[in-house]
Amino acid sequence: MRIIALSRLKEFWEKHPQAELPLRTWYAEASRAVWLCPADIKRVYRQASFLQNNRVVFNIKGNDFRLVVAIHYNRGLMYVRFVGTHAEYDRIDATQLRSICY
């Protein structure tokens, strides 16, 4: 999968250094993956949640952080829509996100 944009993840882990290794690990795994449907993601990330508008929520670092991406399966693209703490995630509507990073 091609992931857009790593810069948002970097901005986040600069503010939350404990998120750097888990986010780098997720990025490395996801960028090598070929996910053609939600079931492909679920095989690797059993805790991933699937929302409308092709949004997927990943729990990062034991659910301390949340990562929301929009996926275009047919193009092999993922767009980072949100990365934040669990508390920040609780205050948003992940299905309506355009592009946000805390």
Side-chain angles (χ1 to χ4, degrees), residues 49-67:
S49 300
F50 299 89
L51 309 175
Q52 62 187 356
N53 298 329
N54 285 327
R55 301 297 196 268
V56 181
V57 181
F58 293 94
N59 298 323
I60 304 294
K61 193 180 176 277
N63 209 19
D64 288 349
F65 305 106
R66 293 282 181 97
L67 172 64

Side-chain angles (χ1 to χ4, degrees), residues 1 3 5 15 32 34 49 55 61 69 83 95:
M1 301 294 293
I3 303 166
K15 293 177 186 173
R32 287 189 308 265
V34 177
S49 300
R55 301 297 196 268
K61 193 180 176 277
V69 299
V83 59
T95 62

Side-chain angles (χ1 to χ4, degrees), residues 16-64:
H16 301 274
Q18 67 275 27
E20 182 174 2
L21 181 59
L23 285 171
R24 282 184 181 273
T25 301
W26 175 87
Y27 183 86
E29 292 171 352
S31 63
R32 287 189 308 265
V34 177
W35 292 330
L36 302 176
C37 65
D40 293 339
I41 296 171
K42 205 64 163 172
R43 278 190 210 79
V44 180
Y45 291 96
R46 294 186 187 275
Q47 300 301 319
S49 300
F50 299 89
L51 309 175
Q52 62 187 356
N53 298 329
N54 285 327
R55 301 297 196 268
V56 181
V57 181
F58 293 94
N59 298 323
I60 304 294
K61 193 180 176 277
N63 209 19
D64 288 349

